[in-house]
């Protein structure tokens, strides 16, 4: 649920009813989205200093209480390093072009924060801590990686030690995030690139499954079949093979967590409920769900950018 939907009673009520009527038992709400803006007013000095919070969801605490009264688990999502707002307000914390002065931007024109900047870590921790006081049952962190979709030959990370590899640098953040939130009673979760489940390298973004797992209670690889490259696993169009792509990915992730002496039930993948590369009707989404179950798992998340979900893909309560 985007913060814009959460701020519009008439729309959000439809999604709440969907949860009440189907097998879905949770709602994810954006706390801080890809713009860098925070969806409700915060009092933390770090947030007030940069002016990133706005009164978009005016009744966030009451809304969460309403969801709890309906026995709905509420997850708050925080986009971390993709943050054009803070990058503009504090350019000293931003990823730079090779000149070390100009803010680097990806192909969508979005600026990023330096994943090694300790002030950025402290900012994310401050946002998460105050969000927890609003009643969120879990804090979910997205864009916890180095940027990738842009000119990677013209990029510089002023706060990163050049002697360390990206997985080492990112693990420093994971460690400090967990440490900074260790006294909270709610679990924390990480959104990961889908191919982190099958790749053993860091995909040049710093994410490695085994080096992320120790610091989070849940791991959510974004195994959207449409996001896999053409000819992945010899599939001409991976988007047309939802069961196969997700089964392959989650089988691999399960095996790797077991090898790391960790519980595979930490895995809770993001599934696709949008048309890209193929028509994702109820049957296609049910194939995604079945792949998760056949990999021995029991949890998944569903994403539709429009926040309009395919009811026929969901079992009735």
């Amino acid at each position: 649920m985007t913060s814009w939907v959460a701020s519009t009673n008439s729309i959000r009520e439809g999604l709440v009813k969907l949860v009440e009527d189907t097998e879905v038992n949770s709602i994810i709400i954006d706390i801080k989205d890809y713009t860098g803006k925070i969806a409700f007013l915060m009092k933390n000095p770090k947030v007030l200093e940069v002016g990133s919070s706005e009164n978009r969801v005016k009744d966030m605490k009451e809304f969460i209480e309403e969801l709890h009264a309906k026995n709905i688990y509420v997850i708050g999502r925080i986009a971390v390093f993709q943050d054009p707002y803070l990058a503009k307000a504090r350019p000293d914390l931003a990823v730079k072009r090779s000149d070390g002065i100009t803010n680097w931007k990806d192909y969508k024109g979005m600026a990023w924060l330096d994943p090694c900047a300790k002030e950025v870590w402290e900012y994310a921790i401050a946002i998460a801590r105050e969000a927890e006081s609003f009643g969120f049952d879990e804090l979910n962190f997205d864009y916890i990686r180095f940027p990738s979709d842009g000119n990677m030959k013209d990029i510089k990370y002023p706060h990163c030690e050049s002697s360390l590899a990206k997985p080492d640098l990112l693990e420093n953040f994971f460690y400090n995030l967990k440490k900074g939130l260790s006294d909270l009673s709610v679990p924390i979760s990480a959104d990961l690139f889908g191919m982190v489940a099958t790749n053993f390298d860091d995909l040049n973004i710093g994410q490695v499954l085994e080096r992320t797992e120790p610091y989070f209670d849940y791991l959510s690889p974004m195994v959207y079949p449409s996001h896999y490259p053409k000819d992945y696993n010899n599939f001409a169009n991976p988007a047309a093979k939802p069961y196969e792509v997700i089964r392959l990915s989650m089988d691999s992730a399960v095996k790797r967590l077991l090898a790391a002496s960790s519980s595979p039930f930490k895995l809770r993948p993001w599934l696709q409920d949008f048309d890209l590369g193929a028509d994702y009707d109820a049957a296609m989404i049910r194939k995604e769900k079945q792949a998760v179950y056949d990999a021995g798992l029991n949890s998944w998340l569903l994403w539709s950018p429009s926040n309009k979900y395919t009811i026929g893909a969901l079992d009735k309560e």
Side-chain angles (χ1 to χ4, degrees), residues 144-213:
I144 45 174
R145 60 177 178 86
F146 284 80
S148 60
D149 303 317
N151 184 356
M152 306 310 293
K153 295 179 180 178
D154 185 27
I155 195 166
K156 186 175 183 179
Y157 304 101
H159 296 265
C160 292
E161 293 182 44
S162 58
S163 60
L164 295 178
K166 285 180 177 178
D168 300 315
L169 297 166
L170 204 56
E171 192 170 0
N172 286 340
F173 165 67
F174 295 155
Y175 171 85
N176 281 278
L177 181 69
K178 183 177 182 179
K179 182 179 178 183
L181 302 175
S182 60
D183 60 321
L184 298 186
S185 59
V186 302
I188 62 173
S189 56
D191 293 338
L192 304 172
F193 255 28
M195 289 180 67
V196 167
T198 49
N199 274 57
F200 286 86
D201 66 343
D202 74 327
L203 296 158
N204 202 34
I205 60 171
Q207 291 183 350
V208 177
L209 188 66
E210 291 82 356
R211 299 190 66 172
T212 308
E213 175 274 323

Side-chain angles (χ1 to χ4, degrees), residues 2-4 6-7 29-33 36-42 52-58 60:
T2 66
S3 56
W4 294 109
S7 68
I29 302 174
D30 278 343
I31 293 169
K32 175 173 171 273
D33 62 18
K37 297 304 288 286
I38 298 166
F40 49 93
L41 294 178
M42 289 192 167
S52 53
S53 73
E54 55 188 31
N55 200 19
R56 193 180 301 171
V57 187
K58 298 178 174 60
M60 183 64 86

Side-chain angles (χ1 to χ4, degrees), residues 81 92-94 113-122 159-160:
F81 297 127
D92 57 307
L93 300 178
L113 301 174
D114 191 316
C116 306
K118 290 181 173 59
E119 276 195 73
V120 173
W121 303 352
E122 292 165 0
H159 296 265
C160 292

Side-chain angles (χ1 to χ4, degrees), residues 102-119:
T102 312
N103 281 3
W104 180 90
K105 294 182 180 179
D106 62 22
Y107 290 138
K108 294 180 181 177
M110 306 290 282
W112 286 65
L113 301 174
D114 191 316
C116 306
K118 290 181 173 59
E119 276 195 73

Side-chain angles (χ1 to χ4, degrees), residues 168-275:
D168 300 315
L169 297 166
L170 204 56
E171 192 170 0
N172 286 340
F173 165 67
F174 295 155
Y175 171 85
N176 281 278
L177 181 69
K178 183 177 182 179
K179 182 179 178 183
L181 302 175
S182 60
D183 60 321
L184 298 186
S185 59
V186 302
I188 62 173
S189 56
D191 293 338
L192 304 172
F193 255 28
M195 289 180 67
V196 167
T198 49
N199 274 57
F200 286 86
D201 66 343
D202 74 327
L203 296 158
N204 202 34
I205 60 171
Q207 291 183 350
V208 177
L209 188 66
E210 291 82 356
R211 299 190 66 172
T212 308
E213 175 274 323
Y215 305 100
F216 295 92
D217 299 288
Y218 301 106
L219 303 172
S220 295
M222 295 174 281
V223 288
Y224 309 131
S226 62
H227 284 41
Y228 283 71
K230 185 180 179 182
D231 294 327
Y232 175 80
N233 201 47
N234 295 318
F235 300 137
N237 178 17
K241 298 284 186 179
Y243 179 89
E244 292 83 354
V245 169
I246 292 171
R247 180 69 191 273
L248 178 73
S249 299
M250 300 323 296
D251 277 350
S252 172
V254 166
K255 183 178 180 181
R256 290 170 66 175
L257 286 200
L258 287 171
S261 299
S262 181
S263 171
F265 292 106
K266 275 191 163 188
L267 294 164
R268 188 185 57 193
W270 279 102
L271 306 182
Q272 175 172 344
D273 188 356
F274 52 88
D275 296 337

